[in-house]
C-alpha cells in the first residue's frame, strides 16, 4: 500500500500483447517471467489499471512517465489525457521508436473533476433519501387511505 503524494512517478509496466508472444526472442521468453512482459491481448491492460489511479498519487502539477511498446504511444497518451494529464509527449528511444509517454497532471482540471464528482455524489445521496421518504410517505398514505376497505 502506497501512501502520500509524489512529484514524479515512473513506471515500466508490462506492455507486450499476447498476440505478439511469438515475435519475442527465445532469451526473453526463457528468462523473463510472463507477468513482467504481457498485459492482455493488446498489451494495454496494465495501463488501463495504472493510469486512472495516477492522479491520486501525484502532487498538483506532478509528472508521470510510462514506458510503452513501440505502437502504443497514441493510445497511452489518449488514456492519460482522459484522466486529466496535459502536455503529454511521446518520447522516442535511440533507435527512433516510441518508448515513453511523459505527461503533467493538470491540477485545475482534476480539481474541477473532484468538485463535479462530489456534487454528483451528494446529489445521489440526497436523491436516495428523497426516494426513501417518498416511498415511506406513499406507504403511510396507502395504509391510512379513507377509500381503503
Amino acid at each position: 500500500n502506497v501512501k502520500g503524494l509524489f512529484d514524479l512517478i515512473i513506471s515500466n509496466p508490462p506492455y507486450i500483447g499476447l498476440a505478439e508472444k511469438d515475435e519475442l526472442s527465445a532469451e526473453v521468453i526463457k528468462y523473463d517471467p510472463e507477468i513482467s512482459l504481457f498485459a492482455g491481448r493488446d498489451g494495454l491492460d496494465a495501463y488501463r489499471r495504472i493510469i486512472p489511479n495516477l492522479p491520486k498519487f501525484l502532487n498538483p502539477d506532478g509528472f508521470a512517465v510510462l514506458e510503452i511498446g513501440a505502437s502504443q504511444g497514441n493510445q497511452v497518451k489518449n488514456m492519460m489525457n482522459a484522466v486529466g494529464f496535459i502536455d503529454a509527449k511521446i518520447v522516442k528511444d535511440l533507435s527512433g521508436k516510441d518508448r515513453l509517454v511523459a505527461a503533467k497532471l493538470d491540477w485545475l482540471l482534476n480539481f474541477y473533476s473532484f468538485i463535479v464528482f462530489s456534487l454528483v455524489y451528494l446529489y445521489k445521496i440526497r436523491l436516495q433519501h428523497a426516494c426513501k421518504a417518498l416511498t415511506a410517505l406513499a406507504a403511510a398514505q396507502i395504509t391510512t387511505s379513507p377509500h381503503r376497505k
Side-chain angles (χ1 to χ4, degrees):
N1 292 332
V2 177
K3 294 182 182 178
L5 296 175
F6 303 89
D7 293 324
L8 173 67
I9 296 175
I10 300 172
S11 177
N12 179 13
Y15 55 79
I16 300 170
L18 291 172
E20 301 172 74
K21 188 174 185 175
D22 296 336
E23 300 171 26
L24 295 177
S25 68
E27 293 82 25
V28 171
I29 296 293
K30 184 176 180 181
Y31 296 108
D32 289 319
E34 284 195 8
I35 195 168
S36 70
L37 298 172
F38 303 107
R41 182 163 162 50
D42 61 359
L44 296 169
D45 285 0
Y47 301 107
R48 290 184 185 104
R49 288 191 309 270
I50 293 169
I51 292 172
N53 290 296
L54 285 172
K56 296 178 202 173
F57 296 102
L58 281 171
N59 281 317
D61 295 327
F63 287 87
V65 180
L66 304 175
E67 185 170 354
I68 57 169
S71 64
Q72 298 169 328
N74 286 323
Q75 292 162 299
V76 172
K77 182 179 171 180
N78 291 340
M79 284 186 223
M80 293 181 84
N81 288 337
V83 297
F85 284 89
I86 57 173
D87 298 330
K89 304 273 189 276
I90 299 170
V91 181
K92 297 188 181 299
D93 63 16
L94 295 176
S95 65
K97 295 179 180 178
D98 292 352
R99 186 55 55 207
L100 302 170
V101 174
K104 179 180 176 183
L105 185 64
D106 184 351
W107 72 270
L108 189 58
L109 177 62
N110 279 286
F111 175 74
Y112 286 134
S113 297
F114 172 76
I115 296 298
V116 169
F117 173 79
S118 299
L119 291 173
V120 168
Y121 179 75
L122 291 173
Y123 176 76
K124 182 179 174 184
I125 290 174
R126 291 186 69 194
L127 187 59
Q128 287 173 345
H129 288 299
C131 288
K132 286 179 184 177
L134 287 173
T135 302
L137 181 62
Q141 286 181 347
I142 290 171
T143 57
T144 59
S145 173
H147 301 295
R148 193 154 188 227
K149 294 182 181 180

